[in-house]
Each structure stands twice: as C-alpha cells, then as structure tokens.
C-alpha cells in the first residue's frame, strides 16, 4: 500500500485546478474575458503588431469604476511571443506559487479586437498615422467622450511590458501554450 501525503496532495490539486482553469479560458473560441480583479498580471509582449490602435484613459474593467486604467484597443493584432505572470498566491505547505503562461509557437498569438486594461505600459513602439486629441474615439461606459486619446493606423512594438487589470478579445488564437506553476514570484 502506498502512502499519500495529504498536504502535498491538496496543494498540488489546487495548483492543478488553477492551471486547468487557465487552459479553459485561453482556448475560448467565441470571445474571451479575463479579469484579474484587484490583483495584477504582468505580460511581456514581443513582436506586437496591430492594424489599428486606440489608447484611452478609462476606469477599471468589468464594472470596477474605482481603478484608473489605460484602455488599449487593438484591431487585428499579432504577437510573436507572450509571457504572462499571474499574481502570486500562497498555497498551503508549498508556499508562494506563480502561474506562468508562455504563448507562442507557429504564427505566434493572434487576437481580434483585443482590449487590454493596464495600470502601466512600458517599452518602445511606433504608431503610424498618430493623432492625439479629444473626440477621436467612440465613447463607452468606461471612457469620457471628451477625454483625450491617442489613435493610429498601425502599431508596432518590439517589446512591451504591461501590468494588466483585464483583457477582452473577440477571438484569441495561439500556435502553442505552456502553463507552469513556479515557486516564489516566478519569471519568464
């Protein structure tokens, strides 16, 4: 007869549920909505290209009108490589665990009508046909119609780091996905 360590079994089961839940979300075909709630995820994006871009001041995603954010709306977008670090959670017996998602593969990551709500965006980018001003975007319940916005025809970025509050897309497709749970704060 084998011996089962109850604590390790519970902790690994919890991590397994987190991973399987993330896989279910990442493979959604009829739209995707991910909200990290009050916790942040950090996304490192390499080789981002979108056929349109709008960057608008807004309040938090999914009815959270207390958190200020930058709403980044991208038309058809491709990302060569993406690494996402979800917030660290404290798992009993194991300690801190971070769920790390690597999205890449043949053709990279493709998104239709991608909206990223972010508290911070850093990195280099090129915006063709750039315009900065008021009244350049369609207002919605989370933006101010008179607010300032940055819009452009094509957005290119070799590398961006984004602190994500939430993400929506009509369709998200990846050539490959790898999810792993790392002890501690995790890294890409």
């Amino acid at each position: 007869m084998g011996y089962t360590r109850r604590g390790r079994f519970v902790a690994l089961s919890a991590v397994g549920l987190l991973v399987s839940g993330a896989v279910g979300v990442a493979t959604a075909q009829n739209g995707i909505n991910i909200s990290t709630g009050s916790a942040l995820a950090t996304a490192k994006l390499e080789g981002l290209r979108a056929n349109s871009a709008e960057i608008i001041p807004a309040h938090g995603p999914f009815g959270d009108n207390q958190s200020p954010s930058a709403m980044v709306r991208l038309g058809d977008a491709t990302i060569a490589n993406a690494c996402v670090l979800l917030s660290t959670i404290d798992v009993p017996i194991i300690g801190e665990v971070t769920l790390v998602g690597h999205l890449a593969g043949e053709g990279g990551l493709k998104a239709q009508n991608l909206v990223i709500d972010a508290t911070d965006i850093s990195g280099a980018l090129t915006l063709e046909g750039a315009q900065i001003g008021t009244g350049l975007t369609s207002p919605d319940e989370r933006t101010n119609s008179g607010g300032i916005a940055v819009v452009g025809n094509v957005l290119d970025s070799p590398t961006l780091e984004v602190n994500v509050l939430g993400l929506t897309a009509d369709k998200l497709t990846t050539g490959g996905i790898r999810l792993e749970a790392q002890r501690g704060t995790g890294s890409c």
Side-chain angles (χ1 to χ4, degrees), residues 41-58:
T42 301
K44 295 180 182 180
L45 310 176
E46 296 175 351
L48 169 64
R49 181 171 177 85
N51 66 0
S52 65
E54 299 176 354
I55 303 170
I56 313 154

Side-chain angles (χ1 to χ4, degrees), residues 52-112:
S52 65
E54 299 176 354
I55 303 170
I56 313 154
H59 59 78
F62 313 116
D64 175 9
N65 39 359
Q66 301 302 314
S67 302
S69 69
M71 181 191 297
V72 181
R73 292 181 185 153
L74 302 173
D76 290 339
T78 58
I79 302 168
N81 242 335
C83 178
V84 180
L85 300 170
L86 295 178
S87 295
T88 301
I89 59 169
D90 191 12
V91 177
I93 299 173
I94 292 180
E96 290 187 337
V97 176
T98 302
L99 184 61
V100 181
H102 302 274
L103 304 152
E106 187 73 30
L109 178 69
K110 295 180 182 174
Q112 293 176 354

Side-chain angles (χ1 to χ4, degrees), residues 18-30:
L18 280 173
V19 170
S20 64
V23 169
V25 169
T27 58
Q29 292 296 311
N30 296 322

Side-chain angles (χ1 to χ4, degrees), residues 2-4 11 15-16 18 24 57 71 79 83 102 126 133 144 153 165 179 181:
Y3 173 76
T4 302
V15 171
L18 280 173
M71 181 191 297
I79 302 168
C83 178
H102 302 274
T126 301
N144 183 346
N153 300 330
L165 281 173
L179 297 172

Side-chain angles (χ1 to χ4, degrees), residues 158-182:
T159 304
L160 277 182
E161 187 166 319
V162 183
N163 288 334
V164 180
L165 281 173
L167 177 141
T168 63
D170 290 345
K171 186 175 182 179
L172 193 62
T173 307
T174 182
I177 183 170
R178 181 171 52 96
L179 297 172
E180 63 178 312
Q182 296 180 359

Side-chain angles (χ1 to χ4, degrees), residues 48-50 53 123-130 152-158:
L48 169 64
R49 181 171 177 85
L125 65 84
T126 301
L127 189 60
E128 294 177 19
N153 300 330
V154 176
L155 181 139
D156 276 306
S157 174

